[in-house]
Amino acid sequence: MIRYSVVFLFIALEIISLILISNNKGYQRSVMLSSGNAMVGRMYEMTNSFVEFFKLSEANDNLANENTQLRNRVVELENKLSTLTDTLNSVSWKNVSVSPEKEYSYITAKVIRNTTHLSQNYITLNKGSNEGITPDMGVVGEEGVVGIVKSVSPKFSVVIPILNPKILISSKFKKNDYSGPLVWNGKDARFASLNDIARHVRFSLGDTLITSGLTKTFPEGIMIGTINDYNIKESDAYYNIQVKLAVNFRTLTHVKIINYKNYREQSVLEQTAADEGKKK
Amino acid sequence: MVSALQNILRFIFLILIQVFLLDNIQFMGYINPMIYILFILLLPVRFPRWALLISAFAMGLIIDVFSNTAGMHTFALVFAAFLRAPVINIFTSIDEGSNPTPSFHTFGVSPFIKYVITIVLLHHITLFLIESFSFLNLSLIIPKILISSAITILLILAIQSFKSK
C-alpha cells in the first residue's frame, strides 16, 4: 500500500508541474511564480547592483553617445523650428498638432535580471505598475528594440525579449517598406530570422530593418537590426533571412519603455469594430 | 538530527549557488550546469520516498520561480527523485538495516559515479525535452543535454572527491 501511495504522490506532483508549465504558455501568467514577484525581484536587485558595477563604463559610453546624438538632433530641430516660425504667421502655428499615433513618452528602467542562453528568455525590470507600466508596452534599448512587457507587479515588470520564440516583432525594410514578422530561432543571442518576405522583394546584405508601426506596441521606425545573411531555395516562395540584432542582449543594463498615450482609445475602437464584424 | 540540519543547510546553499552564481555563468554561450540536483543525490539511502518527492518538488519550485521557467525544473527534479531508489538498487547492494549517505566511500567509487551519471542524465534529458516542447530541434538539444550533463557530473564528482578526504 505504501509503495502505491508513493507512486500516486509522484503522479500528483508531476501533474501539478505540468499544469504550471501549461499555464505558463499563455501570454499572461501569474506574477506570483516569476521573477516579477516582489521578494524575488528585490533579491535580484541586490545581486544586480553588484554585477552592474562591472558594466558601468560601457553603459556610460553608450549614454554619452546617445546624449551627443540627442543634442545634435535638438539643435537641428530648433533651427528648423525657428526658420518655420519666421515664415509662418503665429496664428496658424498654434493650430499645429502632433498626429495621434506619435503621442508617446518614455519611461526608463534598469534591467535587474536577464538571460540569453535559454530557449525562452525573460528580462526583469526594476519598475512596475506604480510607474505606469502596463502589459503590452514596447521596450527599447539605446540601440533598438528589446521586447514587449509581459506582466507587471507594483514594483517590477517582466519583459519578453526578442530572444524568446513566444513573440513576433512586426518589422519592415527601411528602404522599401516591405514588412514581415521577426522571430528568434532559439540559437544565438545575436541573430533572429525574418519571415514572409516574398521572392520578388529586392534587398541586399546590410539593409536596415525597423519597426513597422502596424502594432500599438512600437511606433514606426525604431531600429531592429541589419540583414546578415539570406538564402532562398528553388522551390520556396519566401526568403530565409538572418538578421543581426541591433541590441546586444548580453550587456543590456538600461531600457526605455514606450508609453503610447492613445493605446486605450485605439484598442477600444479596434475591439468594437471587430465585435460588430462578428455580429453581422 | 545533525544530518537533518546538514541537509536543510545544503538545500538553501545549493539554491543560492545555483540561482545567483551558476545561472549567471554561461559556458560557451548556452550551457549552464545544474548543481542543485546534488541535494537529491546526497539524501540518505533510506530517506522516506514520499519526503524525497516533496523536497524535490519544493526545490524545483524555488528554482523555477527564480528562473522564470514555471514547472520545468520541478517536473524534471521530481522525476529524477522518483527514480533514485531503483537506480540505487541497480548499482549497489546495501543491507536492509543500514542507512548510509551516498558517497564514494559508502557506495564504492565506480557505483557512485554510475549513480551520479544516471540521475543527472535522467534529470537533464527530462528538463531539456520539456523546455523544448514549443520548438523541437534535436540537433540543438542533444549537444545541449550532453555538454550540460557532462559539466554538472564533473562538478558534482569534483565536490564529492574533495569531501571524502
Side-chain angles (χ1 to χ4, degrees):
Chain A
M1 196 56 218
I2 288 169
R3 260 189 91 85
Y4 287 117
S5 61
V6 167
V7 176
F8 282 132
L9 178 65
F10 167 66
I11 294 171
L13 292 178
E14 293 294 55
I15 289 174
I16 298 175
S17 317
L18 286 175
I19 292 172
L20 287 175
I21 295 171
S22 61
N23 283 347
N24 184 36
K25 298 275 180 202
Y27 190 70
Q28 293 292 340
R29 87 196 137 121
S30 83
V31 175
M32 179 65 198
L33 278 179
S34 73
S35 57
N37 173 306
M39 192 194 78
V40 176
R42 205 162 300 134
M43 286 173 84
Y44 274 128
E45 212 168 27
M46 267 153 55
T47 50
N48 186 63
S49 58
F50 203 72
V51 177
E52 203 194 30
F53 181 77
F54 298 100
K55 294 183 181 168
L56 272 181
S57 69
E58 196 177 345
N60 224 347
D61 287 349
N62 287 340
L63 286 173
N65 281 335
E66 201 194 8
N67 209 357
T68 336
Q69 280 174 13
L70 289 175
R71 273 164 191 272
N72 290 338
R73 189 102 183 101
V74 168
V75 171
E76 191 190 322
L77 289 174
E78 268 176 352
N79 290 340
K80 279 187 186 168
L81 189 65
S82 60
T83 31
L84 271 175
T85 31
D86 289 346
T87 49
L88 288 167
N89 66 53
S90 53
V91 182
S92 70
W93 186 244
K94 277 178 189 152
N95 297 331
V96 175
S97 63
V98 183
S99 48
E101 81 277 10
K102 289 189 177 143
E103 285 181 53
Y104 53 83
S105 58
Y106 292 111
I107 304 166
T108 48
K110 207 173 89 182
V111 174
I112 56 169
R113 162 104 177 138
N114 182 14
T115 60
T116 54
H117 61 292
L118 305 174
S119 35
Q120 294 182 0
N121 296 292
Y122 291 97
I123 296 176
T124 312
L125 305 178
N126 71 342
K127 284 186 183 165
S129 53
N130 287 349
E131 246 78 20
I133 299 174
T134 58
D136 209 31
M137 280 183 175
V139 180
V140 295
E142 280 136 40
E143 299 95 349
V145 172
V146 170
I148 298 173
V149 175
K150 184 186 193 192
S151 42
V152 291
S153 68
K155 288 182 194 154
F156 302 99
S157 44
V158 174
V159 175
I160 316 188
I162 297 179
L163 305 187
N164 188 325
K166 279 185 194 169
I167 60 165
L168 302 171
I169 307 280
S170 172
S171 52
K172 68 176 185 184
F173 286 107
K174 193 176 182 182
K175 67 174 184 188
N176 59 18
D177 285 348
Y178 273 107
S179 63
L182 183 89
V183 67
W184 191 50
N185 51 19
K187 280 182 199 154
D188 195 319
R190 291 170 299 168
F191 303 108
S193 17
L194 176 65
N195 299 328
D196 288 3
I197 297 297
R199 186 180 269 277
H200 63 86
V201 180
R202 292 269 164 270
F203 62 91
S204 50
L205 291 181
D207 279 0
T208 306
L209 210 61
I210 54 175
T211 51
S212 68
L214 298 175
T215 61
K216 295 186 288 293
T217 309
F218 293 105
E220 188 186 349
I222 296 176
M223 177 77 175
I224 293 177
T226 49
I227 306 300
N228 191 61
D229 194 12
Y230 65 88
N231 58 61
I232 185 162
K233 284 195 202 104
E234 210 50 53
S235 54
D236 289 352
Y238 296 102
Y239 279 100
N240 188 359
I241 304 176
Q242 190 192 43
V243 177
K244 177 158 194 352
L245 297 171
V247 173
N248 183 352
F249 284 88
R250 293 278 184 80
T251 59
L252 200 62
T253 53
H254 289 83
V255 294
K256 287 176 291 191
I257 295 119
I258 300 170
N259 182 7
Y260 174 42
K261 302 233 167 68
N262 302 324
Y263 184 91
R264 255 188 96 83
E265 189 180 333
Q266 193 182 338
S267 359
V268 169
L269 179 67
E270 284 168 355
Q271 193 56 46
T272 338
D275 290 348
E276 277 169 8
K278 269 181 219 154
K279 274 176 212 160
K280 278 164 194 171
Chain B
M1 197 57 218
V2 176
S3 140
L5 188 68
Q6 205 178 15
N7 278 315
I8 293 168
L9 285 177
R10 189 182 290 136
F11 182 87
I12 299 167
F13 185 67
L14 284 174
I15 288 177
L16 292 177
I17 291 277
Q18 181 69 45
V19 172
F20 293 114
L21 187 66
L22 293 181
D23 281 358
N24 290 314
I25 300 173
Q26 292 156 22
F27 293 113
M28 296 156 68
Y30 55 82
I31 292 137
N32 79 313
M34 274 157 279
I35 192 83
Y36 68 85
I37 192 176
L38 191 59
F39 173 73
I40 298 300
L41 287 170
L42 292 190
L43 285 172
V45 172
R46 303 281 170 234
F47 194 71
R49 285 188 77 182
W50 63 268
L52 179 71
L53 289 177
I54 298 279
S55 33
F57 184 77
M59 183 155 215
L61 210 56
I62 295 174
I63 300 281
D64 275 330
V65 167
F66 275 101
S67 48
N68 273 325
T69 45
M72 294 180 190
H73 288 279
T74 318
F75 188 93
L77 196 61
V78 170
F79 184 72
F82 182 68
L83 291 179
R84 192 184 89 128
V87 170
I88 291 178
N89 283 338
I90 292 170
F91 293 127
T92 66
S93 46
I94 289 164
D95 298 334
E96 278 291 325
S98 65
N99 183 16
T101 301
S103 72
F104 282 119
H105 183 69
T106 53
F107 274 25
V109 173
S110 149
F112 184 70
I113 293 176
K114 285 181 197 157
Y115 162 68
V116 170
I117 292 178
T118 318
I119 298 285
V120 170
L121 274 178
L122 282 172
H123 169 266
H124 278 48
I125 292 170
T126 334
L127 179 66
F128 284 115
L129 283 184
I130 288 233
E131 196 196 45
S132 65
F133 263 157
S134 52
F135 59 105
L136 196 61
N137 185 345
L138 282 182
S139 66
L140 190 65
I141 287 175
I142 290 173
K144 220 171 167 177
I145 292 178
L146 290 180
I147 300 172
S148 285
S149 308
I151 294 176
T152 308
I153 291 166
L154 285 178
L155 264 177
I156 288 177
L157 293 179
I159 294 170
Q160 285 310 103
S161 63
F162 272 115
K163 260 193 191 166
S164 60
K165 276 168 196 168

